Amino acid sequence: MLMPRLIRKLTLLFTLLFLFLSLTTNAAAITTITQQFKEAPQFYNSLECPSIDQDEIDSEAEPDGDSTIFCSEHAVHVAMTLDAAYIRGSMAAILSVLQHTSCPQNIAFHFVASASANASLLRATISSSFPYLKFRVYTFDDSSVSGLISTSIRSALDCPLNYARSYLANILPLCVRRVVYLDSDLVLVDDIAKLAATPLGEKSVLAAPEYCNANFTSYFTPTFWSNPSLSLTFADRRPCYFNTGVMVIDLDRWREGDYTTKIEEWMELQKRMRIYELGSLPPFLLVFAGDIVPVDHKWNQHGLGGDNFRGLCRDLHPGPVSLLHWSGKGKPWARLDANRPCPLDALWAPYDLLQTPFALDS
C-alpha cells in the first residue's frame, strides 16, 4: 500500500515541478517577445565619409558578402553585449550612435550574447528596428567565465555577460583590430568616430576617461592592501579609477599581450582570497590602471544611475557632455516606467524605441 501511494505522490510532485518550470519559461519568453520596438529612421553618410570597398580587406576577412565593413579599418567598430534584460537600453544606445555620427553607414556593430540566450530572437529584434544596420551577433560561452566569478555587492554585476568585455579579442574576428566598447545603459550626443580615433600611442592597449580624484584604495579590500606582494602591483604606476563601460581597445595589442589571461589570473586569486567587491571592474583596474590613455571626461558622464545600493538621482559632472551613462543601480527606462524618473532621465527618453500599447492601438 505504501509503495503505490509513494509513487502517486512522486508523480504529482514531478508534474507540479514540470508545470512550474513551464510557466516560468513561458513567462520569461512572453516578457521578451511582448517588448515591441518602433523602427528607427535610416541614417546616411555625409559626403566626407570614407568609402569602404573590398580592395582594402586583407586575407583574414571572412568569405561572405558582409565581410567588407566588418574587417574594414575605415569602419568604426562598436562592441556591445546584448540580452533580453537590457535590450531596451541597447536599442536606445544604437539609435544615439547612429543619430549623432557623420558616417552612420560606416559603423559596424558587434553584439555579444550569452550562449544560453535566444540569439535568433535578439537578432530579429535588432533587425526589425534597424533594417539597414550592419551588425553581427556573437555567442559568448558563459561556462568560460562562470567558474571564475565571485559574488559582488550587487547581483546584477555577477552576470557572466558582464565579463564578456574581457574576451572581445577572442570573440571578434582577427581582422577587427580596434573597437569601441559601450555599455547598454548609455546614449551618445556626439560623433562616436571622434572617440574611436583616440590615439593610443606606441604601446597602450586601451583608452578611457579616468578619474584620479576617486578613492582608488576603496576598490580593493584591506586583505589586498595589507599583502605586500599584492599592493606592489601598482608600485610602478600611478593608478586611477576608470569606468569600463566606455573603452577604446586595440585588439591586436590585447591579443599580443594575452590580457584575457592576465585578467583571469586575478579572478582566480579572488576566488582564493577576497581582494575586491565590485564585479568585473577590479580585474581591469589591476591589469590596466595607470597604463591607459586618458580620454576627456565628456565621453563618460557616468554614475547617472546612482550608487549600487539605492540608485538615487545624480547631477551631471561639470563640463561638456558627449556621452551620458546611467551606470549604477537605477536605469532610466525602469524609473520612467515606474513614474519616478530622475531629471536627467528625460535626456534618455527621446532615444527610447519601445512601442507603447497606445501607439500599437493607434
Side-chain angles (χ1 to χ4, degrees):
M1 291 296 291
L2 289 176
M3 188 60 67
R5 187 179 302 171
L6 179 60
I7 292 173
R8 285 197 299 271
K9 287 184 177 180
L10 287 173
T11 302
L12 178 61
L13 179 63
F14 282 115
T15 302
L16 291 172
L17 181 61
F18 175 77
L19 288 172
F20 173 78
L21 292 174
S22 298
L23 288 170
T24 303
T25 303
N26 290 337
I30 291 170
T31 302
T32 303
I33 294 170
T34 55
Q35 278 195 11
Q36 297 188 44
F37 297 92
K38 296 175 286 189
E39 182 175 329
Q42 185 176 3
F43 299 93
Y44 299 92
N45 283 355
S46 65
L47 296 176
E48 295 78 21
C49 295
S51 174
I52 295 176
D53 54 54
Q54 188 64 35
D55 293 338
E56 67 166 294
I57 306 305
D58 60 28
S59 59
E60 295 173 2
E62 297 181 21
D64 62 62
D66 293 331
S67 64
T68 304
I69 188 161
F70 291 107
C71 285
S72 172
E73 293 188 4
H74 291 306
V76 173
H77 296 275
V78 179
M80 300 174 65
T81 58
L82 201 62
D83 67 349
Y86 280 81
I87 187 69
R88 188 170 167 189
S90 301
M91 303 287 269
I94 296 166
L95 177 58
S96 73
V97 169
L98 298 174
Q99 185 169 319
H100 293 286
T101 185
S102 297
C103 304
Q105 293 172 293
N106 287 8
I107 297 181
F109 283 90
H110 303 265
F111 297 119
V112 180
S114 169
S116 59
N118 188 336
S120 297
L121 180 60
L122 292 171
R123 189 179 292 108
T125 303
I126 297 294
S127 294
S128 64
S129 286
F130 301 98
Y132 307 100
L133 193 71
K134 299 177 177 70
F135 76 94
R136 284 179 175 171
V137 178
Y138 309 83
T139 55
F140 174 58
D141 183 7
D142 297 17
S143 63
S144 64
V145 71
S146 57
L148 296 173
I149 297 174
S150 302
T151 56
S152 61
I153 60 173
R154 185 158 60 91
S155 59
L157 301 176
D158 301 335
C159 173
L161 196 59
N162 281 338
Y163 292 81
R165 71 195 81 190
S166 304
Y167 295 85
L168 290 176
N170 302 336
I171 297 170
L172 272 55
L174 290 175
C175 60
V176 180
R177 296 189 164 93
R178 173 184 285 228
V179 70
V180 179
Y181 174 81
L182 299 177
D183 272 351
S184 298
D185 52 355
L186 54 77
V187 294
L188 281 86
V189 291
D190 201 346
D191 195 336
I192 195 172
K194 299 176 185 176
L195 177 61
T198 301
L200 290 174
E202 295 182 359
K203 60 179 183 179
S204 293
V205 178
L206 65 84
E210 59 180 5
Y211 305 87
C212 295
N213 291 330
N215 181 10
F216 189 80
T217 59
S218 66
Y219 291 97
F220 303 97
T221 63
T223 300
F224 175 86
W225 293 113
S226 63
N227 187 316
S229 62
L230 296 179
S231 57
L232 283 174
T233 301
F234 301 108
D236 298 326
R237 297 186 256 164
R238 183 176 176 266
C240 295
Y241 159 75
F242 65 93
N243 181 282
T244 54
V246 180
M247 298 184 289
V248 181
I249 306 173
D250 186 311
L251 294 177
D252 278 345
R253 292 176 183 174
W254 184 294
R255 294 172 182 125
E256 290 168 6
D258 195 14
Y259 285 99
T260 296
T261 298
K262 291 179 171 63
I263 287 174
E264 287 181 335
E265 288 171 349
W266 282 111
M267 294 175 67
E268 289 169 356
L269 178 61
Q270 164 76 352
K271 296 289 286 187
R272 299 196 299 271
M273 54 190 297
R274 193 112 178 137
I275 58 174
Y276 56 79
E277 303 285 355
L278 199 61
S280 62
L281 169 65
F284 262 86
L285 297 180
L286 287 161
V287 174
F288 293 110
D291 283 337
I292 72 170
V293 172
V295 176
D296 194 300
H297 289 179
K298 69 181 183 178
W299 286 106
N300 196 350
Q301 286 272 351
H302 69 293
L304 303 185
D307 60 26
N308 282 302
F309 299 100
R310 292 181 293 172
L312 300 178
C313 299
R314 286 185 176 174
D315 293 327
L316 289 173
H317 306 288
V321 179
S322 292
L323 184 150
L324 298 152
H325 187 186
W326 279 263
S327 58
K329 185 178 181 180
K331 302 306 174 188
W333 55 90
R335 296 193 296 214
L336 287 164
D337 287 351
N339 290 319
R340 293 195 300 270
C342 292
L344 291 176
D345 294 345
L347 300 177
W348 181 89
Y351 303 97
D352 186 11
L353 288 174
L354 186 70
Q355 188 87 48
T356 62
F358 177 80
L360 285 171
D361 292 340
S362 61

